[in-house]
């Protein structure tokens, strides 16, 4: 696979997997307005994924389509950050069940949107003109996602004792996964080399500033991180992605010749 | 969506809407009657008889609850939608239904009842919602059939409500109807594509039509002869067309669409009646309808418990938002002092 397609798949899989997760709230949100807001975020992410998959399909040629890429690749072929495939709850094994937890959702959306607000902006200068155009569109969307998640993070941190404790627990759970943002995969390195991708490490100081300012306003503590660095973007995932894909892909795979 | 029969009463024991005007006021009553007779609009600040207000609160809140509960059967297929395009369409549709719920709760609030009060009615099981959502969505074809037939039936019901005598409800309905027509076209288009697909897909569509057809006919509510509340609703300009007339209109519109689609509507008595210039259709199972309305359908308990769980699980989120807003205000006041 070329540097470009592998890098585009990383961006596309991020958007699809988080879009799929956020859509789980549809009909179950804590208040009707949030059902609608999360559906919006999810629609934006799936829209971004579709544009990126379509671009990959064009580059690959043959009978490749956006749906072949989304529905007929296996877990180890997905290139998303591990952070994005985790269920909306605290740390539990893959087949364990638990309630949807809105603070996990908000903290994850915040950490990822803070990165993408910077990354999409930088990708507007990509040597790949199609990617630059997708980045320009996505950048506008992610600014809204970041504001939405940040506002709720501050409400949780500065809200009740319970919401503060929940937000802190979600940060403690999720923060270590952000280490994956800063560790280059071979595909990222190749894409940077080719001028298509952006060196995420150049964005790290700005990301820190966005995160630290929000945490200060929310009176939450930034957890110290270290230890295992996840490798989702290299195809080595948590136990959770297999379940997500099994569900998402089941109908399409049951009717491989179906027309939808 | 989804007004069904607004002749279905809520269970007794609900809070009545607080009275803001005396019941007896002949002069104002006369002005109100004159406005209704002239087909004029009643606005929130206008005087209105208490029974008119209570009927509207019941109808609009039932309608709002139907939109919200109606998110669940279709939401059931979002995670498994078979293409990214269909996934996006379905999320957008379910999101629209949530939006309809919001406008309708707002319209009902203009009558002096709060969203919390209305939700309490739903969660306690006292307030009704459209019974069509108490049936399960078993295959992906159900999503298309709901768009085609359930949204289709809802449009038949709701287009006359755009002329409802109560202004905020009528205006909400104009916007809602536009979106429902869009849902109906999308549902039908999804089915057309499936009918051009594999044999399994065609069978899936036919099976879904078989399961939903009779439930959709029942959505229009009991026969006119058994709908005592309709008369008063007509008098007040809240209901404009009778249940049976709407049902007939729906059948007449749907038969040709089924033909184009290539599916059979599961009614051996369905045939064109030259004398009436309408399609005749068979007997609706009203016993089953009432069982479901009264809580004993296949999914009543699941639907209600799911709504209650979402509400209860979200309590800490709503509390956090209120606590933060209060703290912000205190800080602002301290700064100003
Ligand atoms: Fe609706
Ligand atoms: Fe609809």
């Amino acid at each position: 696979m070329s540097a470009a397609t592998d890098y585009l798949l990383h961006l596309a899989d991020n958007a699809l997997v988080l879009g799929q997760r956020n859509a789980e709230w549809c009909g179950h949100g804590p208040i009707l307005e949030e059902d609608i807001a999360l559906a919006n975020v999810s629609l934006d992410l799936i829209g971004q994924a579709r544009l990126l998959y379509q671009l990959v399909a064009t580059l690959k040629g043959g009978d490749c389509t956006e749906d072949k890429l989304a529905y007929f690749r296996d877990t180890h072929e997905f290139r998303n950050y591990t952070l994005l495939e985790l269920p909306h709850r605290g740390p539990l094994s893959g087949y364990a069940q638990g309630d949807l937890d809105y603070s996990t959702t908000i903290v994850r959306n915040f950490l990822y949107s803070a990165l993408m607000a910077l990354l999409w902006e930088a990708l507007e200068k990509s040597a790949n003109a199609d990617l630059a155009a997708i980045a320009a569109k996505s950048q506008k969307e992610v600014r809204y996602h970041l504001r939405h998640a940040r506002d709720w993070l501050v409400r949780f941190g500065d809200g009740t004792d319970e919401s503060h404790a929940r937000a802190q627990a979600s940060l403690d759970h999720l923060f270590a996964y952000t280490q994956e943002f800063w560790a280059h995969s071979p595909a990222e390195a190749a894409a940077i080399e080719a001028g298509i991708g952006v060196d995420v490490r150049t964005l790290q100081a700005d990301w820190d500033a966005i995160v630290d300012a929000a945490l200060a306003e929310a009176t939450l503590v930034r957890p110290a991180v270290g230890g295992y660095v996840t490798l989702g973007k290299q195809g080595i995932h948590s136990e959770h992605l297999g379940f997500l894909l099994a569900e998402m892909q089941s109908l399409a795979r049951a009717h491989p010749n179906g027309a939808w | 969506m989804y007004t069904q029969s607004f002749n279905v009463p809520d269970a007794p024991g609900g809070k009545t809407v607080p009275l803001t005007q005396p019941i007896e006021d002949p002069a104002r009553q006369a002005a109100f009657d004159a406005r209704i007779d002239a087909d004029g609009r009643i606005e929130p600040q206008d005087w209105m008889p208490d029974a008119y207000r209570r009927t509207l609160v019941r109808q609009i809140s039932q309608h709002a609850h139907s939109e919200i509960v109606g998110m669940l059967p279709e939401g059931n297929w979002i995670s498994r939608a078979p293409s990214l395009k269909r996934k996006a369409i379905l999320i957008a549709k379910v999101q629209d239904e949530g939006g309809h719920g919001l406008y309708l709760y707002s319209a009902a609030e203009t009558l002096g009842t709060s969203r919390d009060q209305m939700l309490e009615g739903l969660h306690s099981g006292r307030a009704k919602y459209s019974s069509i959502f108490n049936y399960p969505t078993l295959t992906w074809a159900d999503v298309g059939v709901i768009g085609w037939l359930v949204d289709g039936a809802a449009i038949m019901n709701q287009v006359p409500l755009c002329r409802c005598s109560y202004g905020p409800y009528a205006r909400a309905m104009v916007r809602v109807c536009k979106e429902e027509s869009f849902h109906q076209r999308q549902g039908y288009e999804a089915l057309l594509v499936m009918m051009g697909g594999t044999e399994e897909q065609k069978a899936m569509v036919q099976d879904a039509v078989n399961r939903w057809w009779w439930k959709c006919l029942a959505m229009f509510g009991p026969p006119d002869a058994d709908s005592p509340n309709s008369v008063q609703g007509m008098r007040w300009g809240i209901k404009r067309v009778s249940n049976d007339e709407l049902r007939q209109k729906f059948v007449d519109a749907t038969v040709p669409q089924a033909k184009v689609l290539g599916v059979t509507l599961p009614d051996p008595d369905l045939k064109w009646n030259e004398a009436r210039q309408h399609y005749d259709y068979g007997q609706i199972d009203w016993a089953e309808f009432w069982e479901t309305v009264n809580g004993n359908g296949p999914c009543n308990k699941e639907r209600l418990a799911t709504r209650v769980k979402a509400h209860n699980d979200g309590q800490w989120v709503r509390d956090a938002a209120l606590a933060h807003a209060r703290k912000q205000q205190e800080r602002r006041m301290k700064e100003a002092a």
Side-chain angles (χ1 to χ4, degrees), chain B residues 15-25 28-29 32-33 46-58 111-112 232 236 238:
Chain B
K15 287 192 192 93
T16 51
V17 177
L19 277 181
T20 50
Q21 280 109 5
I23 302 168
E24 298 284 334
D25 193 329
R28 288 169 142 174
Q29 178 76 51
F32 173 86
D33 290 343
D46 295 336
W47 185 91
M48 61 190 87
D50 189 46
Y52 175 83
R53 184 187 298 271
R54 273 188 286 114
T55 301
L56 276 169
V57 166
R58 181 175 53 81
L111 292 159
Q232 183 63 68
W236 275 334
I238 296 173

Side-chain angles (χ1 to χ4, degrees), chain A residues 20 27 30 33 71 158 247, chain B residues 79 87 115 307 318 324:
Chain A
Q20 174 82 359
E33 285 82 349
Y71 290 92
D158 183 52
E247 183 173 338
Chain B
S79 68
K87 188 189 288 291
R115 202 204 299 186
R307 284 313 316 157
R318 300 189 298 278
H324 170 66

Side-chain angles (χ1 to χ4, degrees), chain A residues 16 19-20 23-24 26-43 46-47 49-50 53 66-67 70-71 99-103 151-152 154-160 162-163 166-167 217 244 247-252 255 257-260, chain B residues 68 71-72 75-92 94-95 97-102 105 115 140 190 193-198 200-201 204 306-307 309-311 313-325 327-328 331:
Chain A
L16 176 59
Q20 174 82 359
E24 290 172 15
C26 215
H28 311 285
I31 186 166
L32 191 46
E33 285 82 349
E34 284 304 289
D35 267 74
I36 293 171
L38 260 277
N40 252 332
V41 173
S42 197
L43 279 171
I46 290 166
R50 291 187 64 194
Y53 286 136
E66 57 173 283
D67 288 329
Y71 290 92
D99 287 341
L100 294 175
D101 169 39
Y102 209 56
S103 103
D151 286 351
W152 276 104
V154 170
R155 285 186 192 108
F156 290 169
D158 183 52
T160 63
E162 181 183 2
S163 67
R166 282 175 179 265
E217 202 177 324
L244 181 147
E247 183 173 338
M248 186 182 90
Q249 297 175 333
S250 58
L251 180 60
H255 301 272
N257 300 316
W260 307 105
Chain B
I68 303 312
M71 295 168 78
L72 300 175
N76 187 39
W77 283 93
I78 289 174
S79 68
R80 293 173 287 171
S83 74
L84 295 182
K85 176 182 153 190
R86 294 293 168 200
K87 188 189 288 291
I89 288 173
L90 182 56
I91 293 172
V94 176
Q95 183 191 36
E97 307 305 358
H100 299 169
L102 268 187
Y105 284 126
R115 202 204 299 186
W140 172 255
V193 173
M194 287 179 76
M195 291 302 286
T198 63
E200 288 91 340
Q201 287 186 294
M204 203 190 280
T306 302
R307 284 313 316 157
K309 178 170 167 49
H311 187 76
D313 289 355
Q315 186 67 49
W316 72 268
V317 176
R318 300 189 298 278
D319 289 346
L322 284 176
H324 170 66
K327 286 182 189 176
Q328 287 277 74
R331 281 190 286 260

